Amino acid sequence: GMALALALLAAMATSVAGSSERVLSELEVKQLNRILQGEVSKNELEIVLAQYDEDLSWSRPYEKVTTVYCKGGERCSEGTERLPNVGREGHTFLHHIVRNYDNLAAWTVFTQAGEPTEGYRGHAAGGGHMLTGASFDDYILHPQRTTKEDADSFFLFTSKLHLPTMQHSMRTSYKTVEGQQVIRPETLPPMCPAHDSLESSGDAWGPYSNVQWLRSFVAQKCGIEEGSLGDALLLFWDDILQSTRPPANIVHFAQGARFAASRARIQQRSRAFYEKLLALVVTDEDPCMNYVFEWSWYYIIGAHTSSACDVSPEESTQIWEVQERVLQASSLGLSGLSGLSGLSGLSGGVSGGTTTTTATATAAMTTAATTKAAMTTAMATTTTTNSERCDGSTELSFYPQSI
């Protein structure tokens, strides 16, 4: 009752699940109190949880504004909405947007169902993808924050990726190894860290690394030759996202796919746009495109007018030099790829509920007669033989365990 709600409020008013001493503002405390007392409706705020069978006890204070989509079959609890076990969290988020497009909450938080603990150290070691110094409350209370970088969405970017080469950089304040020492900030971390650790007390972008296994894994998952993967990602950007490419072709994203957005921001894109993306992840348990979606949520949700984070001149030069070396060393196998105008074949989605095996897709990609449609079919319909659970989370981390 009221006593429990007030006790929870007192415990949570310092934010970050007890791990931060940052005090909430008066407006934030008032809103949190309304949420805990059940005074906030789903028309105002909705939390979308993508669940398989994760323990949801951490989310109980927010249950009045929470919608749980469960893909665990008989493991699903009463009161959850069951979905087929396909497409991971990308399918769940897009399903929610498409189904509720005309009735979206004023503010929606999208998250995997695991407890939002700090960092991520791989599937075995765990971690709830939360940036040090932030809390789940920060995603819920963003509309009440008096100073904010983006009024219509809330992202805390922890990774960045150079699309043509898949060179990868991590935020240094994001915990990825046991015992990693991270300075806990006194204020909410910014959306983007500094370019140099000397600028911002250790919260900066780390150096780029060439994660070869990542290129190999994604190429195999998508049924595309490694040398052609960067081109495929850029074509996806041009014809499916239909967005201006980010500066230097570097995308910034939140590892773990947690973000929040306003109704107005989401509705900058049409329902048909989200339906098109949803069609790409409705047949496989672990589809290629969900990995691409995780990198792209900032750019998918709404018609963004600016880059997620800025790119330094030095970074841009460094990256393009890397790109040139990698592409020169690659055997693309797609001689006509540079002349392709885009991935228009992908917009039709997956028809007939059929899938194409990775071997078949790869063979199709490497023939002299490879076409744009064949390439997009490979990305959209490559199936998986993975027998492990395929729930709301991206279990196969994109990042080396020792990074």
Side-chain angles (χ1 to χ4, degrees), residues 11 34 37 44 46 70 79 97 124 172 179 272 276 294-295 343 355:
R34 292 181 63 230
Q37 294 189 37
E44 180 180 349
E46 187 165 17
C70 181
I97 292 173
T172 58
K276 178 174 64 177
E294 182 178 0
W295 302 335
L343 288 174
T355 57

Side-chain angles (χ1 to χ4, degrees), residues 283-284 350-357 377 380-383:
T283 57
D284 286 358
V350 180
S351 61
T354 60
T355 57
T356 305
T357 65
T377 300
T381 66
T382 299
T383 192

Side-chain angles (χ1 to χ4, degrees), residues 349-378:
V350 180
S351 61
T354 60
T355 57
T356 305
T357 65
T358 298
T360 302
T362 303
M365 291 297 297
T366 54
T367 63
T370 296
T371 63
K372 178 169 57 178
M375 180 175 183
T376 59
T377 300

Side-chain angles (χ1 to χ4, degrees), residues 174-240:
Y174 185 64
K175 291 187 175 181
T176 55
V177 293
E178 195 66 40
Q180 179 179 346
Q181 297 299 311
V182 176
I183 298 174
R184 191 170 302 282
E186 296 180 358
T187 59
L188 177 66
M191 288 174 55
C192 306
H195 285 291
D196 189 319
S197 60
L198 297 178
E199 300 174 37
S200 185
S201 303
D203 181 22
W205 289 118
Y208 280 92
S209 58
N210 183 18
V211 188
Q212 180 57 44
W213 75 265
L214 171 61
R215 290 177 56 85
S216 301
F217 170 78
V218 178
Q220 181 181 23
K221 174 66 66 176
C222 297
I224 298 173
E225 285 192 352
E226 282 189 39
S228 304
L229 185 58
D231 297 271
L233 293 173
L234 292 174
L235 292 175
F236 164 82
W237 198 275
D238 293 342
D239 273 19
I240 301 305

Side-chain angles (χ1 to χ4, degrees), residues 214-379:
L214 171 61
R215 290 177 56 85
S216 301
F217 170 78
V218 178
Q220 181 181 23
K221 174 66 66 176
C222 297
I224 298 173
E225 285 192 352
E226 282 189 39
S228 304
L229 185 58
D231 297 271
L233 293 173
L234 292 174
L235 292 175
F236 164 82
W237 198 275
D238 293 342
D239 273 19
I240 301 305
L241 292 192
Q242 296 180 341
S243 295
T244 303
R245 292 183 186 180
N249 291 323
I250 296 171
V251 293
H252 298 81
F253 64 100
Q255 186 190 353
R258 179 182 297 115
F259 60 93
S262 68
R263 178 194 301 129
R265 172 71 177 264
I266 296 171
Q267 290 180 341
Q268 288 173 0
R269 299 274 203 178
S270 69
R271 188 202 298 263
F273 170 80
Y274 296 112
E275 288 175 336
K276 178 174 64 177
L277 297 185
L278 180 61
L280 301 180
V281 288
V282 295
T283 57
D284 286 358
E285 291 180 339
D286 186 25
C288 156
M289 294 309 301
N290 189 58
Y291 296 94
V292 180
F293 290 168
E294 182 178 0
W295 302 335
S296 310
W297 283 117
Y298 176 81
Y299 312 92
I300 289 172
I301 298 296
H304 67 284
T305 57
S306 61
S307 174
C309 303
D310 67 340
V311 175
S312 69
E314 296 79 11
E315 178 183 39
S316 180
T317 302
Q318 166 202 341
I319 285 298
W320 284 115
E321 290 174 351
V322 170
Q323 178 197 19
E324 184 178 4
R325 288 198 302 272
V326 171
L327 293 182
Q328 285 179 349
S330 296
S331 174
L332 291 180
L334 291 175
S335 58
L337 186 62
S338 61
L340 296 181
S341 60
L343 288 174
S344 59
L346 203 57
S347 61
V350 180
S351 61
T354 60
T355 57
T356 305
T357 65
T358 298
T360 302
T362 303
M365 291 297 297
T366 54
T367 63
T370 296
T371 63
K372 178 169 57 178
M375 180 175 183
T376 59
T377 300
M379 290 188 70

